Amino acid sequence: MKQKNIYLVGNPNCGKTTLFNQLTGLTQKTGNFSGVTVEKKEGFVSLPNLDIKITDLPGTYGLGGIAEDKKIAYEVLLKRSENESVIYVLDALNLERGLQFLLQIIDMGVPTLVVLTMKDVLEKKRIQLNLEILKQSLGLEIVLVNAKSGEGITELKNLLTSENSFRKQKRLWSWETKEETFFTKLKKQLNITTNEAEFFLSQALKFLNGDPHLQDNRYINQFPEPTKQTLIKEIQTNKYQFEYQEEMIHRSILIKKIISETLLSPISKNGGWGEKLDSIFLHPILGFLCFFLLMGILFQSLFSFAEIPMDLIEVGITQLQEFTTMFLPDGPFRSLLVEGILGGVGSVVVFVPQIALLFLFIGILEESGYLARASFLMDRLMGKFGLSGKSFIPLLSSAACAVPAILGTRTIENKSDRFTTIMVSPLIMCSARYPVYILIVGTVFSYPPLFGIFNVQGFVLFSMFFLGMIVSFIFALIFRKTVFKENASYFVMELPRYNIPSFKSLFFTVYGKVKSFLASAGQIILYISVLLWFLSHFPAEYKDDVWKTSPIESSYIGRVGKAMEPAIAPMGFDWKIGISILTSFAAREVMVSTLAVLYGSEEEGEESESLRETLRADKKADGSLVWTPLTGVSLLLFFAFASQCMSTLAVTKKETGSIFWPTVQFFYMTTLAVFTSFTVYQLGKILGFV
């Protein structure tokens, strides 16, 4: 069986990820590019006598520049091995932009197959392309597909099995006559015959010419010293213009010629209902109302639509615990399995439907083209806080997880913008906070719907998201006015067309994110649940052949909790909440499993109840309830601001290249958490709230 490596390359929003999902289906895995923490996706396709590994490279508009996505795509293609090829995904409605990047790939001498996407949109808009002329102009094999429906994928897979489908092409454009004559003369003198060697020569000349986009001397260093000196002398004497900007101009001349011959009917941008939607979504007032309305719908739906699957999971876990209890004899092993592992891990698994809904909603916003418009809209608001709209997508991505959001700041070229975004991203409500928020909100705000339709819990959850966003903007302004004083960068972006999201692509996105959530959080939760089980059940002994554990307050964990209780009581927390806060510094969602283990130990032998019901019934020594609305608000604020994610601090260190910034991040967030929690609880008590 032959094996082959293929890179998937293209512009952002060209249908690359949808095509990747169509080709690879469930045979995907995620990881990091070698030496960097930027995520990559790899998938596998099995064809007759051929196994193919496809690597999805970051979407970019070209190979020149200092943004991390461009650098990664460039380095991967530059260091590819001889038998590795490229599938170039070309958006049929953005030929001019897509061909600019494709001509760069051709210049590198990479064997390339072109996949033209948006077949359905072409047909809908009655746009005709002469594919034969496009193939002849580029000298490459081209296949037209509908990446969403899968139309054309069978033809594409047939082409993948043929070596002739991946073609190397010579440089198609030319420099100005003076430069081209010199370049041809040099190739002859240096006996350059391959595309790769020609590419190295052009890069060396751009470096010698002082091109700001190419400050890498590795190309010129490939040549012997006498040749290097000759090239330097020629460039200085004759003032040749070997620059990236010149390249773009000459490529553009060729591209316009190709398009004029290929396009049989004009392409109109957006138009119709797209323009009408833009007039609403980008409106300075209506746009913000729509954004907050969408966020409100999201948080309402997290409670309204996820309740049934959550109940089913909860019932399933309870039945599994009962089944295990029936078939195992009483003792430490049964207790560990039922109360420690199933109780701890199960208490977090129950929140998977809400996590999946969150990622589904963000996926729909992104694939529909709305997310880019939200960034454009937010640019006006964020400018008042010293940030550009480029920071908005990483900040909104923090609603899923701060780690990829911080990695996503690599596309921000202004260092002050980037560092400020890194420092405030963890303040946005992330998915690790959802299980905690949902547990607290569901416990202390258990009120009937307002006007019969508006869920109070969803409203509180939305308020927490809004609070996180406002506080992150305020701290962004503080950072920009104090330590990061460099001017904000300009925000330039192309708004993608509105698209109907692909069901298949959304499914794989949600599946991958939930799988990653369970894998990363699950391991920590399992280890801590086992540790907590031990600490909450011991000292223990066998007495008269019966296994006797210590009461929870006399256990090891109970003693620790009681010792720390005086320090956290001013914030409204008892010792069990204190222990759950302590363990949540490993990962926020561990707080839920900690409470499940602690209350499971306390309620041992009693009728099984859901965790929320058990919390509502918990009382202090004076008979008052532990979990009141005021305690709930204080705890929500603590979790909103505390820095409790070791992964976030680790990636901040990696991205800033210093231990100083994650240290600052940890202390300013934790101080803010303690201060707001203490202040709100004490003020609430003075005002008579409970």
Side-chain angles (χ1 to χ4, degrees):
M1 180 73 78
K2 287 177 63 180
Q3 297 196 339
K4 190 173 186 177
N5 291 342
I6 294 176
Y7 296 106
L8 204 58
V9 182
N11 295 149
N13 301 310
C14 66
K16 191 161 63 70
T17 301
T18 308
L19 178 67
F20 176 79
N21 289 332
Q22 279 285 358
L23 285 171
T24 61
L26 285 170
T27 58
Q28 304 173 16
K29 67 175 185 179
T30 56
N32 291 330
F33 286 100
S34 178
V36 293
T37 50
V38 173
E39 188 181 77
K40 71 173 176 181
K41 283 198 294 185
E42 289 179 344
F44 303 89
V45 185
S46 289
L47 299 172
N49 301 317
L50 181 64
D51 283 338
I52 300 175
K53 183 175 87 172
I54 299 180
T55 304
D56 189 13
L57 294 186
T60 173
Y61 294 109
L63 298 173
I66 59 173
E68 201 65 32
D69 51 352
K70 290 182 179 180
K71 287 198 317 196
I72 288 171
Y74 183 68
E75 291 299 326
V76 168
L77 294 180
L78 198 64
K79 294 173 182 172
R80 76 193 186 281
S81 61
E82 274 293 316
N83 60 349
E84 292 179 328
S85 313
V86 156
I87 292 177
Y88 185 82
V89 185
L90 180 59
D91 182 346
L93 297 184
N94 282 298
L95 286 176
E96 190 163 350
R97 187 186 68 192
L99 286 172
Q100 270 285 353
F101 189 13
L102 176 59
L103 291 181
Q104 283 186 294
I105 305 284
I106 290 173
D107 290 352
M108 294 180 81
V110 184
T112 304
L113 165 67
V114 177
V115 175
L116 201 60
T117 56
M118 308 294 170
K119 184 174 188 290
D120 53 331
V121 185
L122 282 180
E123 290 170 352
K124 190 175 176 183
K125 291 179 176 284
R126 298 181 181 176
I127 298 168
Q128 292 182 314
L129 296 176
N130 191 325
L131 283 189
E132 287 307 315
I133 289 183
L134 190 59
K135 287 180 186 178
Q136 288 170 17
S137 301
L138 297 172
L140 300 174
E141 187 61 66
I142 299 174
V143 58
L144 181 62
V145 305
N146 178 353
K148 288 182 195 166
S149 68
E151 187 182 355
I153 297 298
T154 304
E155 186 186 351
L156 172 60
K157 286 184 176 178
N158 290 335
L159 289 172
L160 295 181
T161 59
S162 169
E163 286 297 330
N164 293 330
S165 303
F166 293 88
R167 296 176 191 166
K168 280 188 178 183
Q169 176 61 292
K170 291 183 178 177
R171 179 167 56 96
L172 297 172
W173 55 277
S174 302
W175 296 98
E176 282 290 340
T177 307
K178 177 183 168 188
E179 280 77 15
E180 189 64 35
T181 304
F182 174 62
F183 195 73
T184 306
K185 182 181 154 192
L186 276 178
K187 284 198 303 179
K188 194 172 178 182
Q189 286 176 350
L190 299 172
N191 195 26
I192 288 177
T193 56
T194 66
N195 291 0
E196 292 87 344
E198 185 176 320
F199 175 74
F200 264 65
L201 176 61
S202 67
Q203 300 297 87
L205 290 173
K206 279 189 279 186
F207 172 76
L208 291 178
N209 226 156
D211 188 333
H213 292 88
L214 191 80
Q215 300 176 357
D216 189 343
N217 63 1
R218 65 179 136 172
Y219 304 101
I220 189 64
N221 288 340
Q222 298 292 318
F223 295 96
E225 192 58 32
T227 305
K228 201 188 300 183
Q229 293 304 322
T230 303
L231 291 176
I232 292 171
K233 188 178 177 185
E234 286 280 358
I235 292 285
Q236 290 175 345
T237 306
N238 296 298
K239 309 291 182 191
Y240 290 113
Q241 294 295 311
F242 290 103
E243 291 180 353
Y244 181 67
Q245 294 296 339
E246 288 294 316
E247 259 191 27
M248 283 190 67
I249 291 168
H250 292 288
R251 283 201 297 262
S252 294
I253 294 169
L254 172 67
I255 289 168
K256 288 190 184 302
K257 181 172 179 292
I258 292 173
I259 291 177
S260 67
E261 293 170 350
T262 305
L263 194 61
L264 304 179
S265 55
I267 295 177
S268 62
K269 296 284 181 186
N270 254 336
W273 59 271
E275 284 184 358
K276 289 175 184 168
L277 285 177
D278 274 352
S279 67
I280 298 170
F281 289 144
L282 301 180
H283 190 275
I285 297 172
L286 292 177
F288 280 105
L289 288 177
C290 288
F291 174 75
F292 289 115
L293 178 65
L294 285 170
M295 291 297 113
I297 291 172
L298 164 64
F299 294 110
Q300 285 288 321
S301 64
L302 287 184
F303 274 98
S304 303
F305 299 143
E307 197 65 34
I308 294 175
M310 282 180 72
D311 288 345
L312 290 175
I313 293 173
E314 204 163 26
V315 168
I317 291 167
T318 303
Q319 288 182 343
L320 189 58
Q321 286 175 306
E322 290 173 355
F323 180 80
T324 309
T325 304
M326 283 170 57
F327 286 92
L328 287 178
D330 187 25
F333 180 67
R334 190 180 79 176
S335 176
L336 170 65
L337 202 58
V338 174
E339 294 156 26
I341 296 175
L342 289 175
V345 177
S347 63
V348 175
V349 171
V350 77
F351 294 103
V352 163
Q354 279 155 321
I355 301 294
L357 264 177
L358 172 73
F359 286 123
L360 175 66
F361 198 85
I362 291 177
I364 291 172
L365 291 183
E366 188 168 6
E367 289 210 6
S368 64
Y370 175 76
L371 206 57
R373 284 160 176 83
S375 301
F376 184 79
L377 184 75
M378 284 291 170
D379 184 53
R380 300 168 191 164
L381 175 65
M382 295 176 74
K384 299 182 189 305
F385 294 91
L387 293 174
S388 76
K390 275 189 176 181
S391 298
F392 178 69
I393 289 183
L395 286 177
L396 191 62
S397 301
S398 293
C401 180
V403 172
I406 290 173
L407 295 176
T409 62
R410 291 183 167 202
T411 56
I412 303 172
E413 293 170 7
N414 181 296
K415 187 178 176 184
S416 290
D417 271 5
R418 183 163 176 249
F419 272 45
T420 303
T421 309
I422 288 172
M423 295 301 288
V424 302
S425 285
L427 289 169
I428 301 286
M429 188 167 83
C430 68
S431 62
R433 289 183 174 102
Y434 288 124
V436 179
Y437 285 0
I438 291 166
L439 176 68
I440 298 170
V441 171
T443 300
V444 300
F445 295 102
S446 180
Y447 303 118
L450 291 174
F451 309 112
I453 51 173
F454 295 111
N455 196 308
V456 177
Q457 295 151 328
F459 178 75
V460 175
L461 208 57
F462 171 69
S463 302
M464 294 307 297
F465 168 78
F466 188 69
L467 177 71
M469 182 169 279
I470 292 296
V471 173
S472 70
F473 285 179
I474 292 171
F475 271 84
L477 185 63
I478 293 171
F479 279 117
R480 291 309 303 262
K481 293 288 183 187
T482 53
V483 286
F484 303 124
K485 292 184 178 178
E486 189 181 346
N487 290 333
S489 58
Y490 291 103
F491 178 49
V492 180
M493 73 174 297
E494 182 181 13
L495 294 179
R497 290 179 306 281
Y498 288 102
N499 287 308
I500 296 172
S502 158
F503 175 79
K504 195 169 183 177
S505 180
L506 286 175
F507 170 78
F508 286 122
T509 300
V510 173
Y511 171 78
K513 297 288 185 185
V514 169
K515 187 179 169 189
S516 174
F517 169 77
L518 288 174
S520 59
Q523 286 184 20
I524 298 172
I525 290 161
L526 175 63
Y527 300 147
I528 292 183
S529 295
V530 171
L531 177 65
L532 282 170
W533 170 84
F534 173 79
L535 295 174
S536 62
H537 284 74
F538 285 80
E541 60 177 354
Y542 269 107
K543 196 172 183 181
D544 301 327
D545 292 333
V546 178
W547 189 59
K548 292 283 186 185
T549 59
S550 302
I552 184 70
E553 297 195 7
S554 305
S555 65
Y556 295 133
I557 199 79
R559 296 173 197 174
V560 175
K562 288 289 182 183
M564 67 185 290
E565 194 170 47
I568 57 175
M571 294 189 283
F573 307 151
D574 74 342
W575 69 270
K576 279 176 279 191
I577 296 176
I579 292 295
S580 66
I581 288 175
L582 202 62
T583 56
S584 66
F585 275 86
R588 290 186 178 93
E589 53 272 68
V590 171
M591 187 252 193
V592 178
S593 58
T594 303
L595 289 172
V597 172
L598 292 177
Y599 278 90
S601 302
E602 190 179 58
E603 302 295 330
E604 188 178 12
E606 295 185 7
E607 189 178 348
S608 175
E609 290 184 305
S610 78
L611 182 55
R612 276 181 283 192
E613 289 167 346
T614 308
L615 297 180
R616 283 189 204 116
D618 191 25
K619 291 182 179 176
K620 298 177 185 173
D622 61 4
S624 61
L625 292 173
V626 174
W627 292 80
T628 64
L630 185 57
T631 303
V633 170
S634 175
L635 195 52
L636 284 172
L637 290 173
F638 186 89
F639 271 83
F641 303 135
S643 175
Q644 296 166 294
C645 180
M646 295 303 111
S647 302
T648 300
L649 294 172
V651 79
T652 298
K653 177 180 177 296
K654 170 86 178 173
E655 294 303 302
T656 58
S658 162
I659 191 69
F660 177 75
W661 293 116
T663 306
V664 171
Q665 194 175 52
F666 177 82
F667 281 105
Y668 99 79
M669 288 183 65
T670 305
T671 304
L672 178 66
V674 172
F675 175 77
T676 52
S677 189
F678 171 82
T679 306
V680 167
Y681 185 75
Q682 293 301 324
L683 278 176
K685 277 180 67 178
I686 292 169
L687 294 172
F689 291 101
V690 291

